[in-house]
Structures are given as C-alpha cells and as structure tokens.
Amino acid sequence: MSSNLVIVESPAKARTIEKLLGKDFSVVSSFGHIRDLSKKNLGINIDKGFTPEYEVPAEKQKVVAALKKAVSGSNEVWIASDEDREGEAIAWHLSVVLGLDPEKTKRIVFHEITKEAISNAIMHPRQVDMNLVNAQQARRILDRLVGFEISPVLWKKVQPSLSAGRVQSVAVRLLVEREREIIGFKPESSFRVTASFRTQQSNQETNLDIINAEAGKRFRSEKEALAFLEVCKEAIFQVAGISVKPGTKSPAPPFTTSTLQQEAYRKLGFSVAQTMSVAQRLYEAGKITYMRTDSTNLSKLALSLAHKEIVKEFGEEYSKTRQYKTRTRGAQEAHEAIRPTYPDKHEITGTQQEKRLYDLIWKRTIASQMADAVIEKTTINIDASGSETKFTATGEVIKFDGFLRVYSESTDNENGSEDEKTLIPRVSQGDELWYESVTATEKFTTPPPRYNEASLVRKLEELGIGRPSTYAPTISTIQNRGYVVREDRPGEKREIRIHVLQKGRIKPSAKTEMAGREKAKLFPKDIGMIVNDFLAENFSEIIDYHFTADLEKKFDDIADGKLSWNRMLEEFYSGFHPTVEESLTKREKKTGERILGSHPETGEQVSVKMGRYGPIVQIGEGNGEKKPKYASLLKTQLIETITLEEALHLFSLPRQVGEFRGKEIVAGIGRFGPFVRHDGKFYSLKKGIDDPYTVTTERAIELICEKEESDKQKVISDLGEYKVLNGRYGPYISSGKENYKIPKGTDPASLTSADCERIIEESKSKKKKK
DNA sequence: CAGTGAGCGAGCTTCCGCTTGACTT
C-alpha cells in the first residue's frame, strides 16, 4: 500500500504523474469540481450572508466514494489541483468532503509535468488559500444569483425555458448588435483602378516583367473613373521613385484554447466543439499538453526540446528561443500553452482529424521558437503625365524565411482582397513604362463581418468574458436556446461595372459577384433579439461589456484579502435584486411586436410578433367579430426587417395546386421546409429546384410517384404487425413507433414474425440492464 | 415529422466553470 496520495483534476494527468513519482505515491483524479450549489433551488441562503448550500451531485457520488476510499488507505494526502481560483476551490471542497484537516492538508502546485517540477512542488507544500477560495465562491454565487433570478423573469415575460447569464447574454448581445449594424449598412460604390505596366526590357513572350500597380486614389463615380482612363490613354508613365525598406516578421505565440479554436476554424474548418473534442483525444493519448488553457507560456523543457528539434531540422540560424507574455485579460495561467508533448514527433498516428490538428499544433509551437523572417519591401511610385494621381506598386521579397518555413498565421480577411506580394522587376528612377492594361473596377464597401463561432470566442476573450473550459459550451448554449443559428447564406447577386483600357481603347464590361454570401456564420434569431432588448431595458448592468472585467477586479481584491466576499455580494445584490423586482411589475409580455401597416384590400392591421411556436404575421387585431389570420415567418426572415409586402406574400400558402387520383394536392412550408401534401401524406420539395409558390401539378405528381417508388424499395418484408425496413443505418424492424436493430449475421429478408418478436424482447431487456 | 396562435393551471425550465464519458436511432 502506498502511503502518499496525490489528487489532481484530470485522470490523464494522474496517469502521467504516477509514472513520474514512483511506487511511494499513488495518484488519483477528482474529475474537476466535486461539489456545487444545490441544483433544486437557488442554493444560497441570502438572509444569512449569502451562505452557499453545497451538495455532491449524483454523477459525482461515485468519484467521491472512490476518493474517500483512497484517502483512508493513505498516510499523507497532497492536493495538486490547478493553481488558479477554481483549482483552489476544488482543493478546499476536497478537503471538506473527504474530511481532511485543512491545517494539515498539503496543497501543492506545479505548472509543468516534469519530475523536477513535481518533486520541487512536493518539497514546498502550503495550505489552502481561503482568500482565493472565497474569491471563487463569490464568483460562483454571483453567477447563480444572476442566472437564477433573471431566467425566471424571462419565463414570465418572454417565453418558457429561456435563460440569461453573465456570459451567454453578452455573447448574444454582441451578435445582435453586429446584426443590426449589418442591417443598417448602406454599401457605397467607388472605382478602384489597377494597371499592369511593361518596362523597356520586358519580354513580350512571358509576363515575368510585368509591374502590377494600383492608382493612389479611388474614384467616387463611374464618370470620374472613365475620365481618368481617358487621361491614361494618352499619358506617359514614368518611374518617379523607388524605395526599398527592410523589415522583419515575427511568429505568433503558441496556442491557447481560443487561438487554437480560431486557427482550426480558419485552416481546417472545425467548429469550436469539434476542435475541443479532437484535442481532448490527443491529450488523453499523451500527444499534446492540456487543451484548456489561457497561457502562451512554454515550459523550460518544451523550450529546450523545440530548440533541439529546430537546430536538427533547419539549422542553428533558424532557432530563436522566445518566452511569450500572456496578454489576455483575466488570464489565470494554471497550465502551459497547448503544445506537442514530444516536439520531435512531427506526425502522429490517428484519425485524419487528429493528424491535422496535431500538425497545426506542432507547426505553431515550433514556429514560435524560430527566428524572425527577414523581408524587403519595395515600393515604386509611377507618375502618369496629365494627372495628379500616381500609381503605386509594392513587392515583397523574403530574404530569410525564418519561421515562415513552417507556419504562417491566417487572417480573418474574407473579402478575398488578399494582397499578392510579388517580386518587382528591376527598374530605375526615370524609366519609362508602357501600360498593358488599365482597369477600373467597381468596389462596394462591406459591412462589418458577421461573427463565426471562433471569432465570437476571440471577442469574448478580448472582453475577459468566459474561460477556456466554457467557450465551446457557451457557443452551444446560445444555439440550443434558439437565440442564434449557425448557417450558410447564399447572398445576393450584384452587378459590378468594369472598364478596361487596352491598346488605346476603353471597353466596358461587367461581372456579377455574390454580396453577403456567408458560410457557417452565427445569425441572431428573433427570440435572441427580443431577449437581448428585454435585458438591455431591465438589466443593462449585467450585459454591459465591462461588467465581468469590473467584477474580476473585485474578485482579485477578495483573493488579496482586501475585501470580504459577503460584503461584495451584499453590495452587488442590493443593487441587482430591485431591478429583478422592478422588471416583474411591468404588466406586458415582450413579443417584439411591430405594426407593418394595413392590408391594401381590407384595411385590416398587419403586424408581426413572436407567437408560442415562433414568429408570426397577423392580419386583423382580433378585437372585433372577425378572427385574425396567422402565418409563420420563413426561417430567413426576421421580425425586425420583414416588410408589409413580404408579410402578405406569406398568406399565399398553403396553396391548392391541383388534383391527383381524385384527391387535392396542397403546397406549403412546414417545420422541415417546403412540401406538397396529398392524401394525408407529405412530400418534401427539392431544395433549390422547387418552389411551393409556383410548383405545378405535374411536378407535384412526379415527386409523389418518386417517393412511392423509393418507399417500396425501403420495405424488405411486411409482416403485418412488424415491418422489416432498410434505413440509414442498415436494415431494422419497425413495430408501431419503435424501431429495433437487427443483430449482425441475420438475414433480414428471412425473418419471421416470431423472429422479430424475439429480437425486440432481447433488445428491450438489454436496455433495462443499462 | 410537415398544423398549431382561446384560456387556465400544474409542473418544468435556468447560471458558470472544473472534469470525462455514454450515446446509436
């Protein structure tokens, strides 16, 4: 029996440390927090100085039992939870729940998992820091107060099952405000003029000596742009000046949770949840260090391993050891940056996703320890006789690639205006140039970009809101509540006017581009906007962008022993709670109702609002004899932006299309999109091909027959009570509304009723066991 | 699975931050 017990938070960490410590130590894990505020009620006794009511949740009972057993078999217990506010609280909860004497409990911390660091920690144990614990309790209680007092107000005043919180509500606010900026944005057009020039030495056969330049100003109108092209037609072009400037580029720091999520989104197209789950597998396999971190720090060991690897692979001149300072607000730095555990492993075995994410982490880590790239930037100014406007060509030459050999960070620039930095042909001041072409292209200003999951995480981190362990869950929560959706939008076609000057002639042409095309972006929905407005009216303090940052200062004061946590909560609550009471006194429900106008034929009022099952348009006020008429909004429409015309158009569905086999065909739009209905059955319309407003009888019949045909193939055998069917996951038995899997090695076609009954019984008893 | 929007009332929903598994139609 080992006499020393070490408790850490993560089981993967426990396994690693156990190997390092040897047989005198056994290492177990708490799997994070083991206690939390009571779930049944508020869990806080407000009248008694905000005393928390803690309990071990059901899913943690087993862990706690195992920990108790391990403690009883040990002489000495070392609590090695993370060195941050939450970690300190975990240490305290452990000592209380496990009945350890706080005076004697040995609290140790280490930031890297090496024998040296851990032995060092064991030599210097301390006690649990109650000030830090109290800062955590204040944080925990405040979040509970905010979430559990505001959410019920939403249930009463807006809709059931909604939620509000210090973090999620700010995330929604960011999205709503950005959406409104985009809605209110008016694109302006101007003309950008670019030119390609030949030098005297230019080889007519190749394009190697072409100089690509841009005019120094944008032209506000087509007329001005054309006038400039006219000038260019007759102009003499001359190199007015050349400047060559040396410069350097430095690598980005190693990954934190948030930067990993951003880069994996941009370079690999992973959602933030996907990134975290792949990283979790890499971590558990010992391939990378911990993936929930806000630190860019690398351990000494990592620095030396990276150095060795870089020298071996690229040579000494490529190495530059760097320590990065974490600049993120509120960072607690309990862990290292995310890095490969063994930097000499360039590749790993695993799934394609694991390989790609590992590759990204490896490159970023190695690059962060490499030399700056040395570049040379050349700028050439070109005069055009007869005009004040000059052309400028810029080129960049990499003199020494340094870290660029391994990794370059991507940007969020999605307008496709990627500046191609190319080599510039050698020219001298005074050289004459000849245009090959001069092109005036219409450019539209673009609204601020919509957030995607990763850029929202970055913004939250910038505001100091949320933690590495909660970024992905927060993004999921705001989608699960229906506040926002992640989706693609095709955008709208837009004509771009172009004029090209070539060989002394100016020719107009045009191009179409897709404006506002979006991929995997976060769009606020009506309910998100309504809740946001409700919170802004009633709880502006909570969704203020500085709220969390200001709180953090107070938590720091508590941690430093300068402020009592009860007093801090008292102060907050005495201001906050009255706003809750106040919000409940307002009689009306918040529905986001807008009156669009009156019906052109009947004069009845047309309005939009949030109904029980989603946003609806209403004709008539429902106060007279006549019942109002209702129609649901389309998924892409918002209460805030729908027009009277669009609203009225919604009433043209459901529409009678025609008749087939003596029964009528009706077209409409339901929860699962456009459909036609015939004889009580529904048939989906094909996306991008059919339109419920215009679909013909012939097309509808075609769809019905197609479906009947494919349904026939679905049935393997029909045994009356049971049906054997082909499904997405292979053959299965359907009985009433329940489906059952067919065991491997059975021929689905030969099953009898008795066989089916047996299979169903077996799968039912299996379920019970679980 | 694809419509529903009268009103009442019982019972339910909800926060943030630590950690992993259990899911299969």
Side-chain angles (χ1 to χ4, degrees):
Chain A
M1 178 184 81
S2 62
S3 54
N4 293 288
L5 182 73
V6 178
I7 306 177
V8 296
E9 291 181 38
S10 146
K13 199 168 166 182
R15 284 199 298 274
T16 319
I17 293 173
E18 195 156 52
K19 277 185 217 146
L20 292 172
L21 281 176
K23 60 180 182 332
D24 293 340
F25 286 83
S26 90
V27 187
V28 292
S29 134
S30 76
F31 293 81
H33 273 293
I34 53 153
R35 270 211 308 191
D36 192 13
L37 296 174
S38 168
K39 267 205 179 79
K40 292 188 280 289
N41 42 42
L42 188 64
I44 302 160
N45 200 329
I46 293 168
D47 302 331
K48 289 190 180 159
F50 300 91
T51 321
E53 294 164 26
Y54 289 118
E55 63 184 27
V56 178
E59 67 270 19
K60 287 286 179 181
Q61 302 275 8
K62 261 183 146 174
V63 175
V64 169
L67 288 172
K68 276 185 179 161
K69 202 175 159 204
V71 166
S72 70
S74 312
N75 296 331
E76 204 118 47
V77 179
W78 311 76
I79 302 184
S81 46
D82 298 342
E83 186 177 33
D84 58 15
R85 205 159 60 202
E86 297 298 326
E88 204 64 20
I90 289 174
W92 175 68
H93 283 301
L94 281 169
S95 67
V96 175
V97 173
L98 302 178
L100 307 171
D101 183 348
E103 298 281 313
K104 285 190 206 152
T105 302
K106 295 197 164 65
R107 169 81 170 108
I108 55 170
V109 294
F110 38 85
H111 299 112
E112 50 183 282
I113 305 177
T114 57
K115 189 153 191 174
E116 191 196 353
I118 298 169
S119 314
N120 196 27
I122 288 200
M123 307 261 280
H124 302 98
R126 59 171 173 83
Q127 286 179 18
V128 172
D129 177 351
M130 279 314 289
N131 286 333
L132 194 50
V133 172
N134 289 338
Q136 192 274 348
Q137 297 201 84
R139 197 280 305 155
R140 179 67 192 93
I141 292 167
L142 185 137
D143 280 337
R144 172 58 72 88
L145 287 170
V146 169
F148 275 38
E149 291 210 356
I150 299 183
S151 299
V153 178
L154 293 179
W155 306 340
K156 284 203 183 88
K157 297 294 168 190
V158 185
Q159 220 171 63
S161 303
L162 296 174
S163 67
R166 176 176 57 80
V167 175
Q168 59 169 287
S169 297
V170 177
V172 174
R173 180 183 173 190
L174 285 165
L175 296 171
V176 169
E177 289 189 345
R178 176 59 55 86
E179 192 67 22
R180 288 186 171 145
E181 279 179 63
I182 295 169
I183 290 167
F185 185 83
K186 300 261 184 305
E188 284 172 15
S189 101
S190 64
F191 284 79
R192 174 183 188 235
V193 176
T194 55
S196 57
F197 296 105
R198 285 191 186 277
T199 65
Q200 202 150 30
Q201 307 85 25
S202 282
N203 180 342
Q204 296 289 321
E205 303 299 311
T206 69
N207 279 328
L208 282 177
D209 283 348
I210 293 282
I211 298 177
N212 290 310
E214 182 177 347
K217 76 169 216 191
R218 293 263 173 118
F219 298 88
R220 267 175 299 168
S221 69
E222 190 172 20
K223 211 171 137 193
E224 283 176 43
L226 276 169
F228 181 64
L229 290 190
E230 287 295 341
V231 173
C232 287
K233 201 156 97 179
E234 310 296 335
I236 294 166
F237 299 97
Q238 207 169 23
V239 176
I242 303 168
S243 81
V244 179
K245 280 189 191 147
T248 58
K249 274 184 187 167
S250 303
F255 279 133
T256 61
T257 302
S258 128
T259 52
L260 178 68
Q261 288 171 348
Q262 287 156 46
E263 282 288 273
Y265 173 83
R266 292 189 287 227
K267 289 197 157 150
L268 311 178
F270 289 4
S271 71
V272 301
Q274 203 180 355
T275 298
M276 293 314 282
S277 104
V278 176
Q280 175 86 30
R281 291 204 299 274
L282 290 173
Y283 167 66
E284 282 172 13
K287 291 181 173 124
I288 61 168
T289 56
Y290 196 57
M291 64 286 158
R292 289 187 274 266
T293 177
D294 52 20
S295 173
T296 53
N297 185 56
L298 293 177
S299 69
K300 279 187 209 126
L301 174 75
L303 293 178
S304 89
L305 288 174
H307 172 75
K308 228 198 245 166
E309 199 52 33
I310 293 162
V311 173
K312 194 184 101 200
E313 285 295 311
F314 311 110
E316 185 67 52
E317 73 274 23
Y318 275 91
S319 166
K320 183 177 178 185
T321 300
R322 304 165 192 261
Q323 276 288 16
Y324 293 88
K325 280 237 164 62
T326 305
R327 288 196 310 270
T328 310
R329 206 185 319 193
Q332 309 209 2
E333 306 219 52
H335 304 273
E336 267 190 83
I338 304 168
R339 63 162 173 98
T341 320
Y342 308 106
D344 57 331
K345 275 196 189 165
H346 295 209
E347 285 167 8
I348 54 154
T349 53
T351 65
Q352 203 54 33
Q353 290 185 336
E354 287 166 14
K355 282 180 181 170
R356 293 175 77 200
L357 193 67
Y358 180 85
D359 181 61
L360 197 66
I361 295 168
W362 185 85
K363 285 178 173 162
R364 175 88 165 213
T365 309
I366 292 294
S368 80
Q369 297 306 314
M370 288 177 73
D372 285 351
V374 180
I375 53 170
E376 194 180 86
K377 199 174 173 186
T378 306
T379 309
I380 299 179
N381 288 313
I382 300 160
D383 276 348
S385 66
S387 174
E388 291 285 291
T389 306
K390 292 182 194 306
F391 283 89
T392 313
T394 56
E396 211 174 78
V397 180
I398 295 171
K399 291 284 175 181
F400 174 65
D401 54 359
F403 77 93
L404 289 177
R405 189 147 169 193
V406 172
Y407 184 92
S408 97
E409 193 180 17
S410 54
T411 61
D412 267 339
N413 192 343
E414 290 165 62
N415 304 333
S417 64
E418 205 144 295
D419 292 336
E420 283 269 310
K421 299 275 201 260
T422 44
L423 208 69
I424 287 202
R426 198 163 293 178
V427 286
S428 316
Q429 192 167 348
D431 279 2
E432 191 175 344
L433 302 172
W434 291 268
Y435 75 80
E436 185 70 11
S437 66
V438 183
T439 310
T441 311
E442 186 173 26
K443 291 280 166 190
F444 289 92
T445 51
T446 49
R450 277 202 183 78
Y451 287 101
N452 57 51
E453 292 187 348
S455 64
L456 181 61
V457 167
R458 180 177 57 189
K459 184 68 189 174
L460 288 172
E461 185 187 42
E462 192 184 306
L463 294 168
I465 299 170
R467 303 278 313 133
S469 65
T470 58
Y471 294 140
T474 300
I475 301 290
S476 302
T477 299
I478 60 175
Q479 294 180 62
N480 291 340
R481 295 277 171 278
Y483 294 152
V484 306
V485 275
R486 187 186 69 194
E487 63 187 16
D488 303 342
R489 292 275 168 92
E492 278 171 24
K493 273 187 191 155
R494 183 161 68 188
E495 287 281 311
I496 297 178
R497 292 171 286 176
I498 300 174
H499 296 278
V500 185
L501 163 64
Q502 231 166 356
K503 294 183 179 159
R505 292 175 65 183
I506 298 169
K507 281 188 199 156
S509 70
K511 213 168 75 179
T512 54
E513 67 173 9
M514 295 305 283
R517 182 179 189 160
E518 300 279 30
K519 199 149 174 47
K521 290 294 174 63
L522 295 173
F523 292 80
K525 301 187 68 173
D526 291 307
I527 193 67
M529 293 180 140
I530 291 168
V531 166
N532 178 68
D533 293 350
F534 182 82
L535 295 177
E537 270 167 41
N538 296 282
F539 304 100
S540 57
E541 182 196 9
I542 305 300
I543 59 166
D544 189 290
Y545 292 129
H546 303 293
F547 179 57
T548 293
D550 293 344
L551 277 181
E552 284 294 337
K553 283 186 206 126
K554 292 183 184 149
F555 296 146
D556 285 346
D557 285 345
I558 296 171
D560 291 340
K562 290 188 277 195
L563 177 64
S564 123
W565 67 277
N566 315 72
R567 179 165 311 149
M568 187 245 143
L569 286 174
E570 178 60 50
E571 240 166 59
F572 165 74
Y573 194 73
S574 63
F576 169 69
H577 187 68
T579 64
V580 176
E581 297 288 345
E582 168 75 24
S583 69
L584 284 168
T585 60
K586 296 178 187 168
R587 206 172 305 150
E588 275 183 21
K589 273 190 107 177
K590 185 106 181 167
T591 61
E593 180 168 9
R594 274 179 68 221
I595 293 161
L596 298 178
S598 46
H599 194 282
E601 284 148 30
T602 65
E604 289 169 295
Q605 179 182 284
V606 179
S607 60
V608 272
K609 66 174 184 187
M610 182 54 77
R612 268 213 305 172
Y613 309 105
I616 44 170
V617 199
Q618 181 178 341
I619 298 179
E621 291 176 72
N623 48 10
E625 293 275 295
K626 217 171 150 191
K627 254 185 144 187
K629 282 197 288 182
Y630 298 99
S632 296
L633 267 67
L634 299 180
K635 269 194 208 161
T636 49
Q637 292 173 325
L638 283 176
I639 288 178
E640 196 152 320
T641 53
I642 192 169
T643 62
L644 177 62
E645 203 185 4
E646 288 164 343
L648 292 173
H649 189 53
L650 292 170
F651 287 92
S652 49
L653 290 182
R655 181 176 71 94
Q656 296 194 2
V657 179
E659 274 195 11
F660 179 50
R661 294 178 194 154
K663 300 254 165 84
E664 68 176 12
I665 301 172
V666 176
I669 296 177
R671 261 174 57 192
F672 302 102
F675 64 89
V676 284
R677 190 177 57 203
H678 175 254
D679 198 11
K681 282 184 196 149
F682 290 87
Y683 304 88
S684 290
L685 293 183
K686 295 262 173 357
K687 226 183 191 173
I689 299 171
D690 299 310
D691 179 352
Y693 293 102
T694 57
V695 73
T696 60
T697 315
E698 291 72 38
R699 176 61 184 153
I701 291 169
E702 200 179 315
L703 284 165
I704 292 165
C705 294
E706 248 176 53
K707 178 90 191 308
E708 280 174 350
E709 193 56 37
S710 75
D711 276 354
K712 253 188 224 158
Q713 288 176 2
K714 215 178 123 185
V715 182
I716 296 172
S717 61
D718 190 340
L719 305 165
E721 190 185 349
Y722 307 117
K723 287 187 177 67
V724 184
L725 304 169
N726 256 322
R728 260 206 298 169
Y729 308 98
Y732 67 98
I733 300 168
S734 144
S735 160
K737 280 196 172 178
E738 306 270 331
N739 296 331
Y740 303 90
K741 220 171 153 179
I742 295 171
K744 273 178 203 160
T746 10
D747 175 23
S750 66
L751 288 173
T752 63
S753 271
D755 291 336
C756 291
E757 208 165 310
R758 205 192 60 238
I759 291 169
I760 289 168
E761 277 312 307
E762 277 169 14
S763 86
K764 270 185 185 164
S765 62
K766 251 189 211 169
K767 245 187 197 167
K768 265 184 197 164
K769 270 183 200 166
K770 279 171 189 171

